[in-house]
Amino acid sequence: MSQNSYLEQYPPITLRNYYREKILHNQAHWFLATETAVTFPPLHQKGWCRYYAIPDFVSSYFRLLAQGSEIVEQILEISHRDYSVSPQDNRPVLLSLMESDIHRVIAPIAITAWLTVDEFRWEKYIPQIPRDLNYGLVTQYPEAICAYGAFMGNFNRPQFLHLLSTASIDKCGLLAQKEANRQIQELKIKRFSGNHKIRSNF
């Protein structure tokens, strides 16, 4: 990567606006376009918190989430060495904050909130979206959040992956496949009981 900081290369407001426009035009799947042709449901069909339990999609989605977490840890070690660690699992508190949002809304919605440093709030557009997302997280962790937003948004993704070891990338793939298998098994049970094919992000 360039010697410039991630904050300089990928300004939060530029990234945020890009994410927001994609989502509001029901293109929230753009960051997965090279991985799968499957899309998120439209926003008015709860596309802000749900996705189709299709193996290819789930595996691609969770592989990127896992890789993104690994990249965040790498960048924290370089740019924010005094970062807080959770006493429960000895992982960066930042990852816990990120995961708490991604468990409730799809990643692009959450990332848009983290990159927001003005008055924008999702609930003004979609009232059902939780009001307590971690808006402005980029002000506390500028390098990590800008890098994560760029990676997930498919800006120079291959270069970000160079930050990870082959072992880390392989581990992310295995975790994603395990999650895809779990969700498909869950879907089979739901189908048997007559439930819909769309499941909430967990």
Side-chain angles (χ1 to χ4, degrees):
M1 302 292 292
S2 161
Q3 291 185 347
N4 291 340
S5 72
Y6 295 114
L7 180 63
E8 293 172 321
Q9 292 180 75
Y10 308 105
I13 190 67
T14 302
L15 280 177
R16 192 282 305 276
N17 289 347
Y18 185 79
Y19 270 81
R20 181 173 62 184
E21 289 306 305
K22 287 289 189 182
I23 294 166
L24 291 177
H25 286 87
N26 282 319
Q27 298 173 353
H29 62 286
W30 94 91
F31 70 101
L32 287 166
T34 59
E35 307 280 337
T36 174
V38 181
T39 66
F40 289 98
L43 288 176
H44 68 274
Q45 294 179 10
K46 289 195 172 182
W48 55 270
C49 70
R50 310 175 86 178
Y51 54 83
Y52 298 102
I54 296 173
D56 179 43
F57 180 89
V58 176
S59 180
S60 297
Y61 182 53
F62 278 90
R63 181 170 63 251
L64 284 178
L65 290 178
Q67 291 171 348
S69 293
E70 293 284 332
I71 288 169
V72 164
E73 289 203 64
Q74 291 286 332
I75 292 173
L76 283 176
E77 288 290 340
I78 298 169
S79 66
H80 205 95
R81 285 180 165 269
D82 59 343
Y83 62 86
S84 301
V85 175
S86 170
Q88 282 79 24
D89 55 14
N90 204 36
R91 298 173 69 226
V93 168
L94 173 57
L95 289 182
S96 297
L97 294 173
M98 293 167 67
E99 288 169 4
S100 73
D101 286 350
I102 291 177
H103 288 174
R104 296 182 292 160
V105 297
I106 61 172
I109 293 280
I111 295 168
T112 304
W114 305 337
L115 291 165
T116 291
V117 294
D118 55 22
E119 299 304 310
F120 170 77
R121 293 295 182 270
W122 273 121
E123 65 267 19
K124 294 179 181 178
Y125 291 81
I126 307 166
Q128 295 83 4
I129 290 182
R131 295 171 176 265
D132 61 344
L133 298 177
N134 286 289
Y135 284 93
L137 202 54
V138 69
T139 61
Q140 300 173 57
Y141 303 93
E143 290 295 289
I145 294 299
C146 286
Y148 186 85
F151 169 74
M152 292 297 288
N154 204 14
F155 294 94
N156 293 322
R157 186 175 289 164
Q159 294 184 41
F160 281 103
L161 288 173
H162 285 318
L163 294 172
L164 306 182
S165 67
T166 301
S168 291
I169 292 174
D170 289 344
K171 181 183 74 172
C172 292
L174 289 173
L175 288 172
Q177 191 58 53
K178 181 178 179 180
E179 179 59 25
N181 291 339
R182 186 189 72 79
Q183 290 196 22
I184 298 311
Q185 185 60 38
E186 180 181 301
L187 175 62
K188 289 179 180 177
I189 295 171
K190 287 185 175 181
R191 278 179 173 168
F192 183 75
S193 63
N195 287 341
H196 295 296
K197 295 181 181 180
I198 301 176
R199 57 151 285 148
S200 297
N201 194 357
F202 83 115

